[in-house]
Amino acid sequence: MLDISKREAQALATIASRLDRTDIHRAITPDDVLDTIKHLGMIQLDTISVVSRSHETVLWSRLGNYNLDHLTTLFTGKRELTEYLTHAAALTPTAYLPLVRGMMDRYKASLDRAIHQPEMAAMAARVMERVEREGAVSSRDFEAQPDAQRQGQWESWYGNKPEREVLASLWAHGDLLIALRDRSFTRWYDLPERVAPATWNAEPPDPHGLPAILLRHAMRALGVATAPWLTDYWRTGGRAYVPNARVRREMDALVAGGEVVPVSIEGITDAAWLDSRYLPTLEGLRKRTGWPTKTTFLSPFDNLIWKRDRMEKLWDMHYRLEIYTPAPKREFGYYTMPILHRGKLVGRIDPSMNRKEGILMIRSIHLQPGVKSTPALARAIAKTLDEFTAFLGGTDWSIVHTDPPELGREIYRS
């Protein structure tokens, strides 16, 4: 058992998530974007676009300013990117599709009504015929049924287009894949052999060995983890790819193989493990080298913090997205983004982008209890605001309120 401090665990997690420093001093390429997604395993998608789409922000936090068209290139060029339920709906490398074929089969075997009811099954057959004949389609290619909502025929999630529900089910089953998530956030569905010609017919891993493969991926991206954190990493909207009870058995085998090391994290009672690849990193930290230096803002759905329990136990930050909280009851703001500074979560900002005027408006900045407002922190936040504004295509930013007040004065002096 290796004892590590909470500060060391924070640094290791930050480094493993590639949020520790900015090393790329050149134009970001599609290969850089793909490499980041492969390292993380997946990047969760979300419809909210107060500043930018969540997946766009997740990549910016690690790579800095990059061309958003690189994502389209990865979808449509070499077909290296798709989307699946790897952590809810998430950008996923097509190379990882063999890892989720078992989950697709589980969905296909389930008795969801979108495929197994006769009327819906017939509609699914028509959709498949159309895709085979015409190529990729989106829900926009189908006519709405004005009376469907009134008659209560379809779940409100899918609106008044039953084909939209059918497309989602065919995708979950692996009968169709996502060929493109375009800049308007529309999904385009196509046949698997067209979306992933190089990997779709690859032999999937042995089901008995698959959990270990997925856990290796998760450990690489998390650095240090407990069983619940690992269970949460690869999951659909609800189903875990590797259940918690299975995680513990698999981790024992990885320990025996020297791939992970049992650790005790200061202040955390759960059993935990460190990816052995980061043992030299830990040694460096203890020699005062390699500590995170980066300051950035995090999407609420960033891989580093999407597990709120991990966020609270490891960084002592209680964080909830307050979008659905009535405005008078919000504590920190509508769409708060945590501030990561040198491996620590030091506060949160509440931004919105006025695209017409090109102004990034920061309604508030709140520092965490115990975090002091210093000139160095203010300079780092000001620099990050400049970088985020440029990424969003803006020209300036403005701050309405800071807690403590002196932080705002220091930021404007920077």
Side-chain angles (χ1 to χ4, degrees):
M1 181 69 70
L2 181 64
D3 293 329
I4 61 176
S5 70
K6 183 172 284 189
R7 185 71 189 97
E8 289 170 339
Q10 292 169 353
L12 289 164
T14 302
I15 292 165
S17 199
R18 295 192 172 179
L19 285 163
D20 52 319
R21 58 189 67 241
T22 303
D23 290 327
I24 300 178
H25 302 291
R26 54 170 172 74
I28 303 300
T29 68
D31 285 343
D32 295 322
V33 174
L34 181 64
D35 180 67
T36 301
I37 300 173
K38 280 187 171 181
H39 176 81
L40 296 173
M42 76 293 290
I43 295 180
Q44 185 177 349
L45 295 159
D46 192 80
T47 58
I48 301 168
S49 58
V50 175
V51 282
S52 63
R53 300 287 185 189
S54 177
H55 63 286
E56 298 168 351
T57 306
V58 169
L59 289 165
W60 166 81
S61 297
R62 288 157 177 82
L63 297 171
N65 207 341
Y66 67 97
N67 188 337
L68 293 176
D69 288 337
H70 289 346
L71 290 167
T72 301
T73 298
L74 291 173
F75 270 106
T76 62
K78 295 182 181 179
R79 299 291 188 181
E80 293 172 301
L81 194 61
T82 186
E83 175 185 333
Y84 194 64
L85 299 165
T86 45
H87 187 94
L91 293 181
T92 305
T94 54
Y96 293 175
L97 283 173
L99 303 180
V100 301
R101 293 293 292 271
M103 185 61 73
M104 291 174 174
D105 291 341
R106 287 176 63 185
Y107 272 114
K108 198 165 189 174
S110 67
L111 297 178
D112 65 65
R113 72 182 189 90
I115 296 300
H116 292 282
Q117 285 188 0
E119 180 183 352
M120 300 294 274
M123 186 179 297
R126 291 195 298 272
V127 168
M128 290 296 298
E129 289 173 4
R130 179 170 178 179
V131 174
E132 290 171 3
R133 183 177 64 254
E134 300 179 11
V137 301
S138 75
S139 61
R140 295 177 181 175
D141 293 316
F142 300 92
E143 295 293 329
Q145 297 186 10
D147 61 341
Q149 287 267 39
R150 179 178 57 79
Q151 294 175 356
Q153 294 175 331
W154 323 114
E155 298 176 21
S156 60
W157 180 265
Y158 297 102
N160 57 358
K161 289 184 180 181
E163 290 89 354
R164 188 177 177 190
E165 184 178 359
V166 166
L167 285 168
S169 288
L170 290 171
W171 166 60
H173 299 173
D175 293 319
L176 294 176
L177 293 179
I178 305 301
L180 175 65
R181 175 75 85 153
D182 66 24
R183 292 288 293 274
S184 65
F185 213 58
T186 299
R187 282 175 175 166
W188 290 84
Y189 301 82
D190 206 345
L191 300 178
E193 56 268 28
R194 293 176 187 158
V195 173
T199 56
W200 181 248
N201 292 320
E203 187 71 24
D206 182 337
H208 297 291
L210 179 60
I213 295 173
L214 296 174
L215 290 173
R216 290 186 188 103
H217 278 285
M219 282 301 306
R220 180 183 63 190
L222 292 172
V224 61
T226 66
W229 302 349
L230 289 165
T231 298
D232 176 75
Y233 204 81
W234 287 83
R235 65 170 175 82
T236 65
R239 295 178 179 177
Y241 282 75
V242 187
N244 192 65
R246 181 70 181 269
V247 167
R248 296 178 186 277
R249 297 200 304 270
E250 295 291 340
M251 294 306 285
D252 287 342
L254 294 181
V255 169
E259 297 182 66
V260 300
V261 177
V263 296
S264 174
I265 305 173
E266 176 191 5
I268 297 177
T269 58
D270 295 336
W273 300 271
L274 170 68
D275 190 310
S276 296
R277 282 171 284 203
Y278 299 111
L279 282 170
T281 305
L282 176 61
E283 183 179 351
L285 295 177
R286 291 179 171 177
K287 293 179 180 177
R288 300 178 183 247
T289 63
W291 283 87
T293 59
K294 188 181 185 70
T295 301
T296 193
F297 308 136
L298 301 177
S299 159
F301 309 100
D302 192 284
N303 301 50
L304 188 75
I305 59 169
W306 62 27
K307 177 66 171 169
R308 304 303 189 220
D309 172 74
R310 180 178 190 246
M311 190 178 182
E312 192 157 355
K313 287 184 176 179
L314 200 52
W315 283 278
D316 303 307
M317 177 181 274
H318 178 78
Y319 175 82
R320 297 293 182 269
L321 196 57
E322 297 181 302
I323 286 176
Y324 302 108
T325 302
K329 295 184 178 181
R330 289 178 192 142
E331 185 177 4
F332 296 109
Y334 179 79
Y335 185 80
T336 55
M337 299 176 65
I339 304 169
L340 181 71
H341 176 65
R342 296 179 172 269
K344 298 180 181 179
L345 294 178
V346 297
R348 62 197 91 195
I349 68 170
D350 180 30
S352 64
M353 184 65 194
N354 185 327
R355 292 176 174 81
K356 183 177 180 179
E357 297 183 10
I359 304 296
L360 177 63
M361 178 64 67
I362 310 300
R363 299 186 186 92
S364 66
I365 303 178
H366 292 86
L367 293 184
Q368 281 289 93
V371 175
K372 294 182 179 180
S373 174
T374 65
L377 177 58
R379 285 194 298 272
I381 292 175
K383 181 174 181 292
T384 306
L385 285 170
D386 288 341
E387 293 167 350
F388 197 38
T389 301
F391 170 65
L392 297 173
T395 56
D396 202 359
W397 48 264
S398 178
I399 301 172
V400 177
H401 168 76
T402 64
D403 180 18
E406 57 266 27
L407 175 65
R409 294 192 290 270
E410 288 286 355
I411 289 174
Y412 275 108
R413 277 199 291 265
S414 298

